[in-house]
Amino acid sequence: TQLLEQSPQFLSIQEGENLTVYCNSSSVFSSLQWYRQEPGEGPVLLVTVVTGGEVKKLKRLTFQFGDARKDSSLHITAAQPGDTGLYLCAGSNAGGTSYGKLTFGQGTILTVHP
Amino acid sequence: EAQVTQNPRYLITVTGKKLTVTCSQNMNHEYMSWYRQDPGLGLRQIYYSMNVEVTDKGDVPEGYKVSRKEKRNFPLILESPSPNQTSLYFCASSLFHRVGNEQFFGPGTRLTVL
């Protein structure tokens, strides 16, 4: 069974601070996605990374896929209260009986205070 | 508007009383799945369907049933609910069952079994 460990589980910061959320596994993934979930809503896809070492930017959010495709990070620069939410990483693989199945991390609850 | 809808959004029931949570998508997606979300455990897949009349178990299928008679609908059935099925449930769909495909989530159904 492939597992994804997210850290930290909780993050409470002030507006304007920077932060990084980590997503780690002992297994290799073909792709890694990051989703954001707000209270009362379902997760919404932020980004998909598929190449080892890949870096993608979405405004103040920077996503990186590890060289070995076993880990990923999400960095937010100058966090805003609107960034508050649950961030989930999810990996999937192209091989074996679990083809395409998404494995989710436990999530990181981010609270940004004004 | 492209979306995944779930009903009901909130449900309180008693042990053993059969219930169905409906899920519908208007994007002509082939792949649909059900997840449950519990604190500290992330999202875990219950059942999935690759197309009409094709369903299979996910990671936590015990106590649940599904059907896929039409492409747009994928109901989740709890024949005899128990308190350990109290959870937040999400239906999701994607165009195809492929690595890295974006999954679109419904707004969630919060179920409490007394």
Side-chain angles (χ1 to χ4, degrees):
Chain A
T1 303
Q2 295 182 308
L3 294 174
L4 277 169
E5 296 284 338
Q6 273 186 250
S7 61
Q9 286 194 46
F10 303 93
L11 201 48
S12 180
I13 62 172
Q14 293 297 126
E15 182 176 1
E17 291 184 17
N18 301 333
L19 67 108
T20 302
V21 178
Y22 299 93
C23 178
N24 295 302
S25 176
S26 58
S27 305
V28 174
F29 287 96
S30 300
S31 80
L32 204 295
Q33 296 178 319
W34 285 91
Y35 288 80
R36 178 165 167 255
Q37 182 181 355
E38 297 192 45
E41 298 181 11
V44 175
L45 181 68
L46 294 173
V47 76
T48 301
V49 285
V50 297
T51 305
E54 183 176 4
V55 176
K56 281 191 174 180
K57 292 192 175 184
L58 187 67
K59 296 183 182 176
R60 292 176 293 101
L61 279 61
T62 301
F63 304 86
Q64 184 160 11
F65 201 11
D67 290 341
R69 291 185 289 129
K70 291 183 178 182
D71 55 88
S72 180
S73 64
L74 157 60
H75 182 78
I76 301 179
T77 303
Q80 305 291 314
D83 295 326
T84 293
L86 172 67
Y87 289 82
L88 295 156
C89 65
S92 63
N93 260 322
T97 56
S98 300
Y99 174 85
K101 176 181 175 295
L102 272 183
T103 297
F104 282 87
Q106 316 98 306
T108 295
I109 297 175
L110 171 64
T111 305
V112 182
H113 302 280
Chain B
E1 180 191 354
Q3 60 183 348
V4 178
T5 57
Q6 295 178 227
N7 282 293
R9 295 289 312 276
Y10 302 91
L11 181 59
I12 301 174
T13 189
V14 295
T15 299
K17 186 176 181 182
K18 181 179 178 180
L19 66 94
T20 299
V21 183
T22 64
C23 171
S24 183
Q25 50 90 8
N26 61 2
M27 297 171 278
N28 201 36
H29 284 174
E30 287 189 357
Y31 184 80
M32 297 185 74
S33 61
W34 275 101
Y35 295 88
R36 60 178 289 173
Q37 186 175 41
D38 302 289
L41 295 177
L43 284 153
R44 292 178 294 167
Q45 191 180 54
I46 302 170
Y47 267 95
Y48 65 93
S49 169
M50 294 211 198
N51 215 324
V52 176
E53 302 291 1
V54 181
T55 63
D56 208 345
K57 296 177 181 178
D59 295 319
V60 287
E62 293 77 22
Y64 305 94
K65 284 176 58 176
V66 293
S67 68
R68 187 95 180 272
K69 294 185 170 63
E70 305 163 285
K71 198 171 187 178
R72 63 183 295 129
N73 296 323
F74 190 44
L76 179 70
I77 302 153
L78 284 72
E79 297 246 338
S80 183
S82 61
N84 64 13
Q85 292 178 297
T86 292
S87 188
L88 180 57
Y89 291 86
F90 288 100
C91 179
S93 73
S94 62
L95 187 57
F96 301 112
H97 182 51
R98 290 211 184 122
V99 170
N101 254 21
E102 177 177 6
Q103 291 212 21
F104 294 83
F105 286 82
T109 295
R110 186 165 292 281
L111 172 66
T112 302
V113 183
L114 302 174

